[in-house]
Amino acid sequence: MKRITAEETTCRLHTIFTRLGYPVTITLDNARQFISTHFDEYCKLHGIQLNYSTPYWPQENGLVERQNRSLLKRLQISHATGRNWKEDLNDYLMMYYTSPHATTGKTPTELCYGRTIRLKIPSITDIESTPNMDDVRERDHLLKQKGKESEDRKRRAKESDLQVGDSVLMKNLLPGNKLTPTFDPSEYLIVNKEGPRVTWQNKVSNKFYERNVTHVKRIPPAEPEEPSHQELSPDDPSLARDAHAELMSSPPVEDSQTPNVYRSRRNVKPPAKYRDYVVSRTESN
């Protein structure tokens, strides 16, 4: 600690107590941060009893002093060998927490947590203490599968039809302006697919990317070109037969120079002033 004030000490202890719970008692010396009003009120608020040792008599708290001597020795070794003292200190604490004590015959972690924490050395207790998780895993798998099916129906999800070897476009996931296209115009080639996880490769830079299937869009294959018509020579008899058949099957074309005349079928009555003329002419005829 760079600052050993009462407020800083209380903050550090509160972090430990949040993880392990509040202790019943604390045995401590008469340092200034421990005898302050702030520290005393914090302990009274959380029901912690303080046991102060006799001033200038460190033997009364011999357990802590003995541990401090071991820690100081480890720091001296790290300083003499030019090693990282923080890493060496963590290695020492791991060995201390998992080693049986000469007096109690149990490890410190077993006395504190009810079990010895696992270290890198294999132990038969790893097999004996491993609980049977088959029932838990099966129940958890069924619940997850049921929730997945319900969510898929809600979102109308469907299986992806992407296959290895397809050419795709990658979605732009980095933020951009409003003119940035949704998909990168560069083409990518799918090289591997495992469930919803797809691995593809840039065809230009040969870089590999791993994304979800929702982040890609398949490029449809190009449509095949229509076969060109075979050229026929003018002397080919089949060309003449085809032309004659087409001419006979086509409807007759009317002469564009002859106008189409349409006559009305209704009776046309002449105006009143011409009726007498029309009647007299009809009688004379």
Side-chain angles (χ1 to χ4, degrees), residues 3 6 15-16 31 44 46 54 59 75-76 88 115 150-151 153 155 176 179 189 255 257:
R3 299 172 65 249
T15 303
I16 300 174
K44 288 181 179 179
H46 297 91
T54 304
Q59 292 88 333
L75 295 176
Q76 291 175 350
D88 290 347
R115 66 179 182 88
S150 176
E151 195 67 21
R153 288 193 300 268
R155 299 185 179 184
L179 301 180
L189 181 66
D255 189 3
Q257 297 179 356

Side-chain angles (χ1 to χ4, degrees), residues 98-261:
T98 56
S99 300
H101 199 272
T103 303
T104 61
K106 297 183 179 298
T107 62
T109 54
E110 186 177 358
L111 295 177
C112 184
Y113 305 118
R115 66 179 182 88
T116 300
I117 61 177
R118 183 176 177 272
L119 67 163
K120 64 180 181 180
I121 301 177
S123 176
I124 191 64
T125 57
D126 294 342
I127 303 177
E128 295 177 351
S129 59
T130 302
N132 187 5
M133 302 294 292
D134 294 339
D135 297 339
V136 178
R137 291 193 185 97
E138 184 178 358
R139 185 172 182 272
D140 182 67
H141 176 73
L142 292 176
L143 292 177
K144 287 183 178 179
Q145 185 67 21
K146 185 177 180 181
K148 179 180 180 300
E149 294 176 356
S150 176
E151 195 67 21
D152 289 345
R153 288 193 300 268
K154 184 187 300 183
R155 299 185 179 184
R156 299 180 180 179
K158 59 181 180 179
E159 293 291 336
S160 175
D161 57 351
L162 295 176
Q163 301 295 334
V164 176
D166 290 346
S167 297
V168 296
L169 299 177
M170 183 172 63
K171 189 175 183 179
N172 288 322
L173 301 178
L174 298 178
N177 54 30
K178 295 182 179 180
L179 301 180
T180 303
T182 305
F183 290 90
D184 186 9
S186 302
E187 293 188 10
Y188 299 84
L189 181 66
I190 296 180
V191 296
N192 187 25
K193 180 184 179 184
E194 296 180 359
R197 182 178 299 178
V198 180
T199 304
W200 59 78
Q201 182 183 14
N202 192 315
K203 294 183 178 181
V204 179
S205 63
N206 294 328
K207 291 184 178 181
F208 291 90
Y209 300 87
E210 191 176 49
R211 297 288 191 278
N212 191 274
V213 292
T214 58
H215 296 156
V216 296
K217 182 178 182 180
R218 184 173 60 179
I219 302 176
E223 297 181 358
E225 297 181 358
E226 296 182 359
S228 58
H229 298 286
Q230 185 178 2
E231 295 183 359
L232 301 176
S233 61
D235 299 335
D236 194 345
S238 61
L239 181 61
R241 290 196 301 269
D242 295 341
H244 178 71
E246 182 179 359
L247 180 62
M248 296 300 295
S249 61
S250 59
V253 181
E254 299 180 356
D255 189 3
S256 58
Q257 297 179 356
T258 304
N260 295 329
V261 179

